[in-house]
Structure formats: structure tokens, C-alpha cells
Amino acid sequence: MADPTFRAAPAEALRVEPLGEVTAIFDRRSTQTHLVVSPLPEILAAMGGEACNASLLAMRLAARFDLPDGAETRAVLSERLRELAALGLVEPA
């Protein structure tokens, strides 16, 4: 299965506010507010302004968090990227 590449919304398009266990992300482009939990905010932060796929994200997040390296981690990150795409917070690159 291919490892699709995504690009996060520009940082200036999002207002990210941690609210305890939940993070509110206001998308200025759509005027929608999304309530998300970890690891979605961390994924967006790790993406920055660059196009990323699950493999690259796994490497970036492993540098900050205790993540096992392997296909299972990449599969979970791939699913989270699809969730972020469904919310409109990332788009195919």
C-alpha cells in the first residue's frame, strides 16, 4: 500500500488552543472549530509547513516521543493523517 503524502494547513490558518485533555483547533479558512485529542495536535506540529507521509512522521515523532519503530506505528499514523484530511486540516500534497 502506498504511503500518501499530506501537507498541513498553513500555521496562520489555524488557531490551536490546548484545553486540558482536548485541543481546540479553529480553522480560519472554513470557520470550523475541531475538538481533537492527542496525537492529532502533535502530528500537525510535527508536519510543520512540509509535506509528510506516515514514514517521515514516524521518524519525527520518535525523536520526541517513545514510539516503536515499525509498520504498526506507520499504519496508525497513516490512519490519523486520513482523519486529519477528513477534517480538512491536511490535504494531499
Side-chain angles (χ1 to χ4, degrees):
M1 183 168 152
D3 192 2
T5 301
F6 293 90
R7 184 175 302 283
E12 62 274 4
L14 304 177
R15 179 171 176 176
V16 180
E17 293 291 333
L19 305 169
E21 296 290 319
V22 175
T23 299
I25 301 175
F26 176 69
D27 187 342
R28 291 178 175 93
R29 302 165 306 165
S30 67
T31 68
Q32 291 185 332
T33 300
H34 306 281
L35 298 177
V36 300
V37 296
S38 186
L40 297 184
E42 292 83 359
I43 290 171
L44 286 173
M47 291 179 79
E50 299 177 30
C52 292
N53 59 23
S55 297
L56 180 56
L57 274 174
M59 288 189 305
R60 287 182 179 181
L61 291 169
R64 292 188 56 206
F65 304 101
D66 184 23
L67 291 178
D69 184 28
E72 185 176 335
T73 297
R74 289 188 299 277
V76 168
L77 288 171
S78 182
E79 181 63 28
R80 298 299 83 82
L81 284 169
R82 287 192 296 276
E83 289 173 1
L84 286 166
L87 294 173
L89 298 174
V90 303
E91 59 187 32

